Amino acid sequence: MTLPLIFDIRHGSMDDGPGIRTTVFFKGCPLSCSWCHNPESQRMEAEIFWDAQSCVGCQACHAVCPGGASAVLPEVTLHREKCTACGACTEECPSNARSLIGKHYPVEELVRILLLDRGFYRATGGVTFSGGEPTLHVEYLSTVLQTLKKENISTALQTCGAFDLENFRRHLLPYLDLVYFDLKLCDTTSHLTYTGFGNELLLANFSALSREMGKRLVPRVPLVPGITATELNLTEIARLLRELGITTYQLLPFNPGGIEKRRLLGQPFSPEIPESFMDRDTERRLRELFRSTVR
Amino acid sequence: MEYTQLTDLRLSEFTLSNLPLLNELRTRTLAEKPRVCIERARYVTDSLKNTRNSGEPIQLRYARAVKGFLARKSPQFFDGNLLAGTTTSKPFGAPVYPELTGLTIWPELETISTRKKNPLIIDSADVNELNFEIFPFWLEENILEATRRRTGNPGNLKLFEKLVFFLAGKAGALSHTVPCYRVALERGVDYLIAEALRREHKIIAQGLLSKADKQQAIFYRSVRIALEGVRDYAANLSRGAAKLALAETDPVRKSNLEAMAEVCAQVPAGPARTFREAVNSLWILQVAIHAENINMAISPGRLDQILYPWYRADLDSGDLTVAEALELVGCLWLKLNDNTNLVPETAEELFGGAGTVPAVTVGGVDGQGEDAVNDLTYVILKVTELLQTRDPSVNARYHPEKNSRDYLARVAEVVATTKCVPAFYNDSAAIRTLVNQGVSSEHARDYAIIGCVELSASGRSYDASSSILLNLVAALELALFNGKRPVTGDLQIGPRTGDLESFTTFGEFLSAFHAQLTWLIGQAVQLNEEFGRTHQEKLPSPLLSALFEGPLESGKDLISGGALYNASGATHIGFADVVDSLSAIEQLVFTDGRFTLPQVVAALKDDFEGNEPLRLWLANKAPKYGTDHPVAVKNSTSLLAFLYETYQGYVNYRGGRYRPAFWTMTNHAGQGKLAGALPNGRKAHVSFASGITPVSQAAPDLTCCMRSVARINPLHIPGGEAFNLKMVPVDTADDLESLTDAVEAYFQAGGLHVQFNIMTYQTLVEAKAHPDRHPHLLVRVSGYSAYFRDLNDAMKDEIIARTAYDSRTGAALPLPAGYRDRLPANEPAEKMIVSGDMLNSALALPLAKFVDCITSEIVEEFLEVLLDLMKMVFFFDDDYRKNIEGFAGRYLFRSVDRSITISAVFAQGKLHVDEEEIPDPHVQVIFKDGKALMNFLLAENPDILGAMLRQEVTPEGNLNYLYKFAYMARHLQRMATGRVS
């Protein structure tokens, strides 16, 4: 089994499902949403966060870099075209200005970590798999899920929906208590424009699962100002939910955290993406619109 | 038995607007300014003066002093509170305990009303009475000086007085303890008096008495005398209320006064018959105990258990409604806020902002191990939620198997409302820990919290829980600097445990650290034993002994070991910083070989100046307590085990064992200010982490932090621990569920204690910037609550810089700007403000010189000028001369380089100054130069501690004489600058 890269394991999260949860973030996503607030999740390969502002200029990175990607003249910098993300510099960087994004965890090691907090899961909490897109790693994920189920741990998945339905049904669904399914844009062209991926497969998977899973399937809609958070788009998504008889959903307020992370990745960010949180009145108005349409 | 009959555990129908009495009393309480009350000092001193030559044993003299005070204590009724009795003669008063640390405010008597930090208003007549009548009696008699005299000023006492190694609590307090009120409530003080009399007669009836028999008889008599004082005080309250009732025209107040008159005629002398009588009886007893015990951490204990029988009976009979019960408990809460501590300015740095921490405990299991939560538990929680006052410190016990989830969720909800109280305790861990200390299961199950977080078999165990406050960082620095500490310079303090080059393995370094720690603990314990003996000689506790299980049965005062159980508590400052420092040394020096120990220590000496990468390695790349890193886990658990073994090896003067604890009040901020840089990357002068809490930002998320602390073996912390967490927001029902889940899981994992501040960095930063906008923002410090405004800046910064965990993501939130490198806020140096008015033409020249001295930088001749002026003013000014009438004091002032030697002898109303040494001075003051001495004596906000630590001024001998001298010098300064005439 090839081990996927995992870029974060967050303990004590209360935002990724019911109760207190541990959330595993997989690296790699078939979509490349311009607003993504975890842009380090998009590529399959390991990457380096490089925060020049925290650098104290000790040049330890330069001394250990095998590929000459860490330059120190005229100032400390990272030449990403030469960087293989081997992580040597991140080990030596005392200020954590360099950090390695993406690490392999053998199944047993991951499960051990996920069980550390089992006392905190209580009646409702558990483990959530997020990303990136966890379903890209069906075999690994399935093995982990099965082990957790044997330990009676509640499990949840956050997905963009771009998966092979049969595979999903056979290897993952039996071991999942909850699935959070992203619905971003109803218009196919827009979806392709902003996420680099069409939405036909996603919508088909969603419809199919909604019939099978009932309340265990929770759609989530990111509210990105000017992109997904338009009255037209939200009305369309809400109508879809109404047709499918779905009343439980989540609207996710826009998080501009992706902008800072793109800086750390050395990536440009789309000028369309706002730099601040959505104002509360707008958010309230859109929520009300959505709610009234679903009912 | 079903104790919970309420259908709405929240009691949601009640608010401050439909409990107008509580609303009004609360507003008054919060607006009240603290005032010094000298009533107790006056009457206790007066009585002891009068019996000085009576030939009676101290037990009886002291009992008479207690009775004398209680019988003469003025009955006061300041507001519409339903309970009679006040701790002091002021609405919000600070009593004076001259036998303990009362004399430390002597120098400040005339400035304490106007000082910047937490001023205490004092009447000028009271200043004079303290200065001329009361304090002089105690010059040689308070606990510190009596101990010094008896022991010949040993090294451990000098070490204590450097204040940066350990603090000896017994110099300033008798006992932090939980009395047993149950018997007095059920049967009355008269029953206890009769019981003491019966036992005394039984002994006397034996005829020929051994010395031990006589001791017992004296003890019983002392109990009786002291208790009579309680009865007298209640009778005075009853008469006072009746008299006021006659004159009162407002019908509500009139009937309340009549009711109080009736209540006080019944209790505490007789058994309480109603809930109101029970609450008032308990309050009068709580007031009375402060006749002999300083107002610090006398903790009423499990009030939901103690008062429940009366609550249930009255409610069932229809004589009491829930609303009335809320009012009575609320009145008790506000009464518990009617007093504060008398703290000198320097000590504000270490203890500033603390209340008097009377801890109340609710919930948990009963003596048989069954669910003890009852309706009164919820009444108390509601009152705590509504009033949000600093005291009492409310503690909620929770037994994971026996108590309901509904109860825990309700406690969590109160925490979410108040943002900080109650604190949570895990019954199964606490009970196990006490049983391991030899407490019976039944008694352990009846434990209550003392003061901050200390576990006590309530009313049965005399725990003296704050006997020692030991600075672990001191031991670490002594190991790093071969027996010295940067803050005390070149002095060889501890044993020489080896040069840095001599350590070739971590084990060797650890042995050096352990050797220093063992030595330091030995010093602290030996001194505590000496203080304990002084207490036995000078400060018996007949009243507290009567309100305890054990002394009446054994015929021994508490201080002589009369309680069922005995212990001494030693708490520790800097635990997390020391563990992280050890782990950094182990990992980066000895395992990885990345740095050498001399390299690290050289960087510490320079506070990492020019070596930020090394600091970052230590701070960011070393194992941290608060994570699952095996090195950190090993070093934290083994340090706890080491301390436990070391302390348990000592038996105290009452026959009990020493119990290590981990709570720090504000000492982690105060001691942090005085410590150098540490191998965990902490810069010099930054606050340490509080209590048992991991260093801020060490744990990446909430559950990791809680898991790490839960891993600790509670048996090794019999004294109790303070684990501080900050978490935001807790707004929604889901957030509340998560908070409840987190506490439940932490306890399942074995955690002993946890308390929360539910507030953001921004709230606290804003409150620091604009204290007036947030006068009553309540925060959890390290085992007690305080109004944020009252804390000193170092402590405010420490609370701001505690990691806040996002309750939604669980992640540690990055610290706000300015706190990321854990830099202390800049404190502008306080400058003396002096103006130059003239006073008296005959004094013109010495006065001019004096003013010149204190306004200019030319201060070499300061001392001569000061003494010259003193002499003159003694001659001219009758009032000032009263300072030395009947006073004999011998002072020797000497500069370090011996270029100046001046003696000042006060005798027969005169001051004699000479430039020669004198034999046997009461106090010797060694100073660096005139400026240092002047700042020490006269600066408006004197950095006395700093001056002593920097060895700019080193007093040796009886400090009370120095306090008196400082008072006289500062009075002159005020005369010279026109602030008094």
Side-chain angles (χ1 to χ4, degrees), chain B residues 223-236:
Chain B
V223 164
R224 193 157 50 80
I225 294 168
L227 285 171
E228 282 165 4
V230 183
R231 218 173 46 177
D232 291 348
Y233 177 54
N236 287 339

Side-chain angles (χ1 to χ4, degrees), chain A residues 9-16 19-20 22 54 56-58 60 89-96 98 113 116-117 119-125, chain B residues 405 594 612-614 616-617 620-621 628 701-704 706-707 711 727 735 738-739 741-746 748-749 806-811:
Chain A
I9 301 171
R10 217 173 274 158
H11 294 278
S13 170
M14 299 164 200
D15 242 5
D16 294 309
I20 297 176
T22 303
S54 319
V56 291
C58 71
C89 61
T90 65
E91 295 283 314
E92 290 299 310
C93 177
S95 65
N96 294 336
R98 298 277 175 91
I113 293 170
L116 279 175
D117 264 357
F120 288 86
Y121 300 154
R122 320 302 304 150
T124 50
Chain B
R405 166 93 180 181
R594 183 169 287 273
E612 184 65 0
L614 171 63
L616 290 168
W617 263 100
N620 293 335
K621 300 281 195 182
D628 300 310
D701 52 64
L702 181 70
T703 53
C704 183
M706 295 184 99
R707 213 163 54 221
R711 196 179 278 128
M727 184 171 160
D735 295 341
S738 301
L739 174 62
D741 275 350
V743 173
E744 205 177 349
Y746 167 70
Q748 293 279 5
D806 185 324
S807 59
R808 311 273 164 81
T809 65

Side-chain angles (χ1 to χ4, degrees), chain A residues 196-226:
Chain A
F197 206 88
N199 64 1
E200 300 87 342
L201 172 68
L202 284 50
L203 291 175
N205 283 345
F206 182 72
S207 302
L209 286 175
S210 78
R211 282 186 286 275
E212 297 165 28
M213 294 185 67
K215 284 205 177 303
R216 287 166 53 225
L217 180 74
V218 181
R220 302 197 310 169
V221 183
L223 297 177
V224 186

